[in-house]
């Protein structure tokens, strides 16, 4: 065993679980991410536990608690302690991932060391006992100190066993701002094509985690070969020169900067990764040798939809990201309340807020646009100022009932008049005020204008 010098704080409930297993004669440890995060001084999201007890034995130890055999085949029992779930997994080895989805089988083991040896990276292969003493057999704490993601064992073998680990390496590098160890990196460049065989559901989770990391820009730059295995449609963007004085960078470099410039949420990061994916297909050059990308947002939105469906993103996420890509170039030079009311009426205030963030990141990432921040601040104030104004039919001071009372017969004309009134309100031609709208409606009716 490696030097168990460092100690971490084990929360009371986790101690209870470990000690109860120990009292029944079993070895038990907190393991993986929780040990890593504690050593980094972060609060772990959850505490995974490993033990030499087999699933039924574990369940017996917690017969007074609710237990669920979540993955009995793989050795996992979930115990609910005071309502909080803890996964307890039997020491195990995994055999082959011939479908690149699940291990073909697992063997339960007696030793902690062997269980740690099957884990992906040294920083993820540490355990801690009930007192908090850390067991580190593969140099994880040293790699943690130096900021290195390194495979446990031979990288080529580990990535051949389970190709997803390559993407996980990038996710951890992006999240912690770590480098990937040289041999691990070489193996990733050599073997990343194998990610094609991995189930999209597994890829999606790691991809989103990678995109939401602080160091995403550098990781994507260094590992663009990996990202184009997942999203081959991005490949033409790499090195694609823009021939346009608005843009200092090629499409890919601009894209990476845009990803890094936006808040780390799944939707926003995906939107920036994909926002210019339609550019190579839309490229034209005029006689002055200036490049144009007319229609690239619409082309990009169609590509985005296909890509996100292929990666099995849920519908809500896919629809929102597709909208952000399609509308990312919206025009906001004439910053007027009228224009903002139209945008809010079309997309809703929440989506406009996101679009402003997209616009800001896009502007920053051109490397030439001055004042992206200021323009966004102005637009955000405008958004705020129209937030109490009428932008939809339900907010209008006149409704269908009122029109019936004014003598308009039931039918499609009601809707047509209401929409014409809303249009005038959005334009600022009419106040959203009951009497004003009523007399405007009367005029429309009197004209008995069939075009309404
Ligand atoms: P996070 O905080 O992101 O959840 P984590 O380290 O807990 O980080 P998980 O995906 O929850 O990551 O996995 C838990 C542990 O299981 C890892 O720390 C690692 O030891 C091990 N592990 C997970 N997936 C693999 C894999 N594909 N190959 C080898 N070991 C893995
Ligand atoms: Mg975890």
């Amino acid at each position: 065993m490696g030097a168990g010098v460092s100690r971490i704080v084990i929360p009371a409930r986790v101690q209870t679980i470990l000690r109860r297993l120990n009292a029944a004669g079993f070895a038990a440890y907190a393991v993986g991410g929780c040990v890593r995060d504690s050593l980094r001084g972060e609060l772990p999201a959850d505490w995974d536990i490993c033990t030499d007890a087999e699933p039924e034995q574990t369940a017996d130890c917690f017969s007074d608690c609710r237990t669920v055999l979540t993955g009995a085949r793989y050795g996992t029992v979930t115990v609910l302690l005071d309502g909080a779930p803890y996964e307890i997994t039997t020491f195990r080895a995994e055999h082959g991932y011939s479908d690149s989805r699940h291990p073909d089988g697992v063997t339960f083991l007696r030793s902690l060391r062997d269980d740690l040896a099957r884990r992906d990276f040294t920083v993820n292969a540490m355990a801690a006992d009930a007192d908090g003493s850390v067991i580190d057999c593969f140099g994880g704490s040293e790699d943690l100190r130096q900021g290195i993601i390194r495979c446990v064992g031979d990288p080529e073998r580990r990535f051949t066993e389970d190709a997803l680990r390559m993407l996980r390496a990038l996710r951890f590098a992006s999240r912690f701002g770590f480098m990937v160890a040289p041999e691990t990196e070489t193996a990733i460049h050599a073997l990343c094509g194998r990610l094609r065989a991995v189930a999209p559901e597994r890829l999606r989770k790691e991809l989103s985690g990678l995109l939401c990391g602080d160091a995403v820009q550098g990781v994507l730059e260094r590992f663009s070969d990996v990202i184009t295995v997942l999203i081959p449609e991005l490949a033409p963007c790499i090195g694609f020169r823009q021939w346009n004085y608005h843009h200092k960078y090629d499409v890919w470099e601009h894209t990476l900067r845009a990803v890094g410039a936006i808040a780390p949420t799944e939707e926003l990061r995906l939107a920036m990764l994909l926002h210019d994916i339609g550019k190579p297909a839309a490229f034209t050059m005029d006689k002055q040798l200036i490049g144009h990308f007319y229609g690239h947002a619409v082309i990009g939105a169609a590509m985005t939809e296909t890509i996100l469906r292929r990666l099995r993103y849920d519908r809500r996420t896919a629809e929102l990201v597709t909208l952000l890509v399609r509308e990312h170039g919206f025009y906001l030079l004439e910053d007027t309340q009228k224009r903002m009311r139209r945008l809010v009426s079309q997309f809703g205030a929440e989506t406009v807020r996101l679009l402003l963030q997209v616009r800001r990141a896009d502007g920053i990432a051109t490397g030439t646009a001055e004042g992206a921040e200021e323009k966004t601040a102005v637009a955000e104030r405008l958004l705020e100022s129209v937030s109490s104004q009428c932008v939809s039919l339900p907010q209008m001071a006149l409704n269908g009932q009122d029109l019936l009372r004014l003598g308009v017969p039931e039918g499609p004309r009601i809707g047509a008049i209401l929409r014409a009134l809303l249009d005038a309100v959005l334009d600022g031609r009419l106040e959203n005020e009951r009497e004003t709208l009523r007399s405007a409606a009367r005029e429309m009716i009197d004209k008995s204008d069939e075009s309404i």
Side-chain angles (χ1 to χ4, degrees):
M1 294 274 152
V5 279
S6 20
R7 286 184 99 77
I8 61 171
V9 177
I10 309 284
R13 283 200 211 112
V14 178
Q15 280 196 38
T16 304
I17 293 174
L18 297 179
R19 292 198 197 287
R20 200 188 279 197
L21 283 160
N22 291 159
F26 299 111
Y29 303 89
V31 68
C34 58
V35 179
R36 178 199 65 218
D37 291 347
S38 298
L39 286 172
R40 295 185 74 247
E42 277 180 13
L43 214 57
D46 45 32
W47 288 78
D48 292 330
I49 290 153
C50 64
T51 176
D52 61 358
E54 297 201 359
E56 300 72 37
Q57 296 172 312
T58 301
D60 284 348
C61 284
F62 296 95
S63 52
D64 58 331
C65 304
R66 241 191 89 200
T67 57
V68 189
L69 286 167
T70 16
R73 236 185 98 207
Y74 304 112
T76 303
V77 181
T78 301
V79 172
L80 281 147
L81 208 62
D82 309 327
Y86 293 91
E87 286 198 350
I88 306 177
T89 304
T90 308
F91 296 157
R92 65 181 199 207
E94 293 162 358
H95 315 290
Y97 279 73
S98 45
D99 64 352
S100 290
R101 284 175 163 78
H102 311 290
D104 297 335
V106 303
T107 310
F108 297 148
L109 302 168
R110 291 286 143 218
S111 102
L112 171 65
R113 191 181 202 289
D114 293 340
D115 183 78
L116 295 177
R118 72 160 170 96
R119 292 173 184 271
D120 44 10
F121 307 111
T122 60
V123 296
N124 288 346
M126 291 181 277
D129 66 17
D131 296 326
S133 293
V134 173
I135 296 112
D136 172 15
C137 308
F138 301 99
S141 34
E142 186 52 29
D143 282 342
L144 202 56
R145 249 190 304 280
Q146 294 192 30
I148 297 175
I149 300 298
R150 184 195 312 276
C151 281
V152 175
D154 173 46
E156 293 214 359
R157 194 170 69 79
R158 303 311 310 280
F159 293 147
T160 309
E161 278 169 10
D162 179 11
L164 183 73
R165 289 172 187 151
M166 293 184 268
L167 196 56
R168 287 175 58 85
L170 305 199
R171 163 160 78 93
F172 290 116
S174 168
R175 171 165 155 203
F176 301 132
F178 282 12
M179 67 173 288
V180 179
E183 330 78 69
T184 301
E185 173 166 356
T186 304
I188 291 176
H189 292 305
L191 297 174
C192 60
R194 289 176 177 255
L195 281 165
R196 278 187 206 102
V198 176
E201 294 78 5
R202 294 182 81 206
L203 294 174
R204 182 193 57 217
K205 182 168 159 271
E206 303 296 341
L207 173 64
S208 288
L210 156 59
L211 289 176
C212 290
D214 285 346
V216 58
Q217 199 177 319
V219 171
L220 288 181
E221 185 158 25
R222 201 166 176 103
F223 293 94
S224 53
D225 52 345
V226 177
I227 216 71
T228 54
V229 169
L230 305 187
I231 307 177
E233 295 92 333
L234 280 170
C237 297
I238 299 174
F240 198 96
R241 197 172 152 187
Q242 310 216 40
W243 298 93
N244 192 306
Y245 56 86
H246 290 307
H247 274 278
K248 200 161 146 188
Y249 306 115
D250 71 43
V251 175
W252 182 236
E253 193 175 347
H254 163 71
T255 296
L256 300 184
R257 285 168 183 269
V259 172
I262 207 155
T265 70
E266 187 179 51
E267 294 95 351
L268 290 174
R269 290 272 162 108
L270 279 168
M272 292 337 281
L273 180 70
L274 300 171
H275 80 287
D276 274 352
I277 199 168
K279 271 194 167 175
F283 183 71
T284 55
M285 189 181 268
D286 66 22
K287 289 196 189 92
Q288 283 80 43
L289 296 185
I290 293 178
H292 301 282
F293 299 97
Y294 300 118
H296 78 273
V298 172
I299 296 173
M303 296 168 81
T304 296
E305 212 180 348
T306 309
I307 291 163
L308 296 184
R309 191 173 319 125
R310 191 172 69 221
L311 287 168
R312 308 278 195 280
Y313 275 93
D314 62 276
R315 230 177 76 180
R316 198 199 68 83
T317 306
E319 280 175 3
L320 179 54
V321 175
T322 302
L323 185 150
L324 296 176
V325 171
R326 193 181 64 229
E327 306 295 336
H328 80 265
F330 73 91
Y331 192 60
L332 208 85
L333 284 181
E334 41 154 333
D335 292 335
T336 60
Q337 286 211 347
K338 170 176 156 182
R339 169 96 178 105
M340 188 54 84
R341 275 195 301 268
R342 289 246 171 238
L343 279 174
V344 175
S345 175
Q346 189 177 357
F347 300 118
E350 263 325 294
T351 304
V352 173
R353 211 179 301 281
L354 297 177
L355 275 171
L356 292 181
Q357 291 197 52
V358 166
R359 200 85 190 89
R360 173 183 164 277
D362 196 8
I364 290 172
T366 58
T368 64
E370 295 292 314
E373 301 280 6
E374 290 77 1
K375 275 188 207 156
T376 311
V378 169
E380 271 168 355
R381 276 198 297 278
L382 268 177
L383 178 58
E384 190 56 39
S385 73
V386 306
S387 69
S388 56
Q389 299 179 10
C390 166
V391 293
S392 66
L393 291 179
Q395 292 170 299
M396 235 171 27
L398 202 77
N399 61 26
Q401 286 299 324
D402 297 320
L403 292 184
L404 286 175
R405 258 177 250 125
L406 285 172
V408 185
E410 226 166 313
R413 269 200 91 203
I414 300 258
I417 293 175
L418 287 175
R419 275 192 300 279
L421 289 172
L422 176 63
D423 211 51
V425 170
L426 290 173
D427 259 359
R429 284 181 276 120
L430 287 178
E431 286 283 321
N432 183 33
E433 196 269 324
R434 202 173 152 73
E435 273 319 307
T436 312
L437 294 179
R438 209 206 309 253
S439 53
R442 261 201 215 100
E443 264 182 50
M444 291 177 188
I445 297 162
D446 287 347
K447 270 199 228 152
S448 139
D449 185 345
E450 286 309 314
S451 68
I452 297 172

